[in-house]
Amino acid sequence: MTATASAPAHAPARPQRPGDPCVMVIFGAAGDLTRRKLIPALYNLRLHGLLPRSFAVIGVARTHWTDEQFRDEMGARLAEFATTPVDPAIAAEYANRVSFVSGAIDDASLYPRLADKIREADAAHRTAGNVLFYFATPPATFAPIARGLAAAGLTVEPPGSWRRVIVEKPFGTDLESARALNKELQAVISEPQIYRIDHYLGKETVQNIMVLRFANGVLEPLWNRRYIDHIQILVAESIGIEGRGAYYDEAGTLRDMIQNHMFQLLSLVAMEPPISFSAEDVRNEKVKVLRSIRPMPPEDVLQRTVRGQYGEGMLGDARVPAYRDEPNVKPASNTETYGAVQLFVENWRWAGVPFYLRSGKRLPRRCTEIVIQFKRAPLHLFANTPLDYIGPNRLRITVQPEEGIALEIKAKVPGPAIDLKGVKLAFSYRDFGDMPPSTGYETLLYDCMIGDSTLFHRADMVEAAWAIATPILDVWRSIPARDFPNYAAGSWGPPAADELIQKDARRWIHPE
């Protein structure tokens, strides 16, 4: 008998190369995002050997700091917000690579001074003329910064070098504003240079959705309307607005969470297999999903969406205030802190399969989860047994707080009677051992440094998402909610949300 070689237990990983040499320019360098996320993320990339050796950071803000003061500030914030103990030697190694430019974004003299600083950093640290601009600033500043950079010639890519721009969300407030912002940016920066960031897409389990689907032959044949009954996507937050009343009261849950993060999760779950994992092939398929979602005329918005706002209530042992009592919130605010929508992807794979999305503040626990519920097995085989119901199989993809995947199946309980019990085939990222703590920005910053835009939004993706959300916003704006607050803090949302799914003879699947 001839022996055959067994397949390897796992595919060997290709070693990742460090990012390209570059200068990273952070607009809004004095803000929370820089201090809490970006600086710790850069430190983590250095720990993992992914930050280029030829690298420098230039902070830009209105604050009147010298280079030394900015270095001291970043060092102090790294010590405060790092996700792992800070090695003083590594922190010192990069301290002399940090500098600062003070100025207002509407000051035309800022950009020539910044150009001089970039040339100095390039010469000192051999960054090959590559520059990564990060707009960690309010959306209203994106276009003015882009115009200032372009006027100073900073967006022009020298031969053999690149210039890239990372833009934070929110990207527009509706379809019209998103189109206008895209047009303004693309007037001075080419689309391939623009990286619209969504930190949700940097989470391991989100990236694992494509691997789960396309690297496992057992699942993809079932991933369609023949076998799947419906899909639920939940983003639940136990916190309130955490001092962001001025922003949140203008945004609301649909803009802040559903239109961007949740639509991206939906597109990953529902997309067709791309012809390759190149950025454009993947993003092409995601756009097709968003464009396939059934449009909502006003009457459908009233039937297929629910909005809510939390009142006071109990979270654990603590009593928390109502949304309208939060700082910087209007006393009679009609801003939603909860949203639930039913969507249909009108293509061959998903026709007739509802996608239920819900997100809210002050819910019982923090959890992001995707639940794929399969159709129930027919009962006729068990007609002469005590069983009168067989529950459905479910695949749970938990994104946070603990990342993992679980398939719920049925098994017979040992004994003479036919008694079924649900059991789980589960995987947790903890099975790989202790995972290095992260900010969620490491993968995205690294991808931008190597020019991989797969996890970033393209202009047409942003507009396709707003095309779904804007009709809902229009109806909600034209018909103010009369029952706010309509759910207590610490509950799973308003009763109308239960009615939304129960009318289809389904129910919400809460986290376990």
Side-chain angles (χ1 to χ4, degrees):
M1 181 180 291
T2 304
T4 57
S6 61
H10 60 85
R14 296 177 182 173
Q16 287 183 291
R17 64 176 178 87
D20 295 345
C22 64
V23 177
M24 182 173 175
V25 178
I26 305 175
F27 287 90
D32 267 1
L33 176 62
T34 301
R35 294 180 289 191
R36 293 175 178 269
K37 300 295 183 181
L38 301 184
I39 296 302
L42 291 172
Y43 179 80
N44 289 343
L45 287 176
R46 168 63 182 85
L47 286 182
H48 292 94
L50 298 178
L51 195 68
R53 291 287 181 178
S54 300
F55 179 75
V57 172
I58 300 174
V60 181
R62 299 174 66 99
T63 311
H64 294 289
W65 279 330
T66 64
D67 289 351
E68 290 73 21
Q69 287 173 320
F70 181 57
R71 290 168 188 160
D72 291 344
E73 172 69 14
M74 292 302 99
R77 300 291 79 78
L78 177 61
E80 182 179 1
F81 296 115
T83 60
T84 187
V86 176
D87 183 333
I90 294 177
E93 172 189 343
Y94 277 84
N96 68 344
R97 299 172 183 268
V98 174
S99 57
F100 188 77
V101 178
S102 178
I105 61 168
D106 56 356
D107 180 0
S109 71
L110 167 65
Y111 300 95
R113 290 187 286 114
L114 175 59
D116 291 339
K117 203 78 164 182
I118 290 172
R119 281 190 288 270
E120 292 173 12
D122 184 39
H125 304 293
R126 298 171 300 179
T127 55
N130 300 326
V131 186
L132 168 56
F133 299 100
Y134 199 117
F135 294 3
T137 55
T141 67
F142 295 166
I145 294 173
R147 288 194 295 267
L149 293 174
L154 290 172
T155 58
V156 177
E157 298 184 310
S161 302
W162 51 257
R163 302 291 167 94
R164 296 171 186 147
V165 173
I166 294 182
V167 181
E168 270 285 344
K169 81 170 187 78
F171 200 85
T173 57
D174 54 20
L175 179 57
E176 183 180 359
S177 62
R179 281 176 173 163
L181 182 52
N182 278 333
K183 187 175 180 179
E184 286 187 283
L185 291 180
Q186 291 167 344
V188 292
I189 308 171
S190 68
E191 177 63 26
Q193 292 178 276
I194 303 172
Y195 287 66
R196 300 170 185 82
I197 196 168
D198 184 340
H199 70 275
Y200 251 63
L201 300 187
K203 296 180 183 295
E204 284 290 345
T205 308
V206 173
Q207 298 172 61
N208 205 27
I209 291 172
M210 286 196 295
V211 175
L212 175 71
R213 288 188 55 192
F214 305 133
N216 293 289
V218 69
L219 286 178
E220 183 57 23
L222 307 179
W223 212 263
N224 56 60
R225 58 189 169 86
R226 286 191 63 191
Y227 300 102
I228 291 177
D229 178 77
H230 74 279
I231 292 173
Q232 296 187 27
I233 303 177
L234 166 70
V235 177
E237 298 180 283
S238 57
I239 60 172
I241 55 175
E242 301 294 287
R244 297 190 306 150
Y247 159 74
Y248 198 89
D249 210 36
E250 295 297 323
T253 292
L254 187 65
R255 286 189 176 99
D256 185 58
M257 189 64 68
I258 296 176
Q259 178 271 335
N260 43 68
H261 301 323
M262 299 190 73
F263 284 1
Q264 289 302 308
L265 293 177
L266 184 155
S267 66
L268 285 168
V269 170
M271 65 187 281
E272 294 298 315
I275 61 174
S276 79
F277 278 139
S278 73
E280 293 311 299
D281 290 338
V282 171
R283 298 198 294 183
N284 287 343
E285 296 302 333
K286 291 169 70 176
V287 169
K288 288 179 185 177
V289 170
L290 295 176
R291 288 177 173 168
S292 298
I293 291 177
R294 183 193 299 172
M296 275 201 211
E299 57 271 21
D300 277 10
V301 173
L302 297 175
Q303 295 296 318
R304 292 166 44 203
T305 73
V306 169
R307 54 184 157 162
Q309 185 188 94
Y310 65 83
E312 67 173 345
M314 298 294 294
L315 269 172
D317 297 328
R319 178 162 291 279
V320 296
Y323 173 74
R324 292 178 176 178
D325 294 329
E326 300 274 15
N328 300 315
V329 171
K330 300 181 188 71
S333 173
N334 259 302
T335 298
E336 80 283 356
T337 62
Y338 177 99
V341 299
Q342 180 198 57
L343 300 173
F344 290 91
V345 178
E346 298 286 21
N347 60 22
W348 189 262
R349 180 186 292 263
W350 295 112
V353 177
F355 288 71
Y356 299 97
L357 280 59
R358 58 181 170 139
S359 179
K361 298 280 191 183
R362 292 296 191 198
L363 300 185
R365 55 176 291 193
R366 171 176 174 259
C367 182
T368 298
E369 188 171 71
I370 301 165
V371 179
I372 291 89
Q373 179 159 311
F374 294 92
K375 294 182 177 179
R376 288 199 299 268
L379 192 62
H380 68 270
L381 180 65
F382 300 91
N384 297 318
T385 72
L387 295 177
D388 57 8
Y389 176 81
I390 299 178
N393 301 119
R394 297 188 182 112
L395 180 67
R396 289 179 180 259
I397 303 171
T398 304
V399 176
Q400 62 180 11
E402 293 187 4
E403 298 178 290
I405 300 166
L407 177 63
E408 301 172 2
I409 65 170
K410 306 300 175 188
K412 179 181 175 297
V413 176
I418 300 293
D419 184 13
L420 303 188
K421 184 176 182 180
V423 296
K424 289 183 181 178
L425 307 178
F427 154 79
S428 169
Y429 266 80
R430 290 177 296 178
D431 296 338
F432 284 135
D434 292 334
M435 301 299 290
S438 72
T439 66
Y441 281 77
E442 288 82 358
T443 296
L444 298 168
L445 289 177
Y446 172 75
D447 283 356
C448 191
M449 290 177 188
I450 64 172
D452 184 350
S453 55
T454 304
L455 298 177
F456 294 84
H457 299 288
R458 205 167 59 189
D460 54 351
M461 295 169 62
V462 171
E463 293 180 15
W466 277 121
I468 304 164
T470 298
I472 302 173
L473 290 168
D474 289 344
V475 171
W476 287 1
R477 182 170 55 246
S478 64
I479 307 176
R482 297 191 180 95
D483 60 347
F484 280 2
N486 59 3
Y487 72 98
S491 71
W492 278 110
D498 294 327
E499 296 167 9
L500 173 71
I501 193 168
Q502 287 170 357
K503 67 185 179 183
D504 297 332
R506 299 183 176 97
R507 63 178 180 84
W508 294 120
I509 302 164
H510 298 312
E512 296 182 336

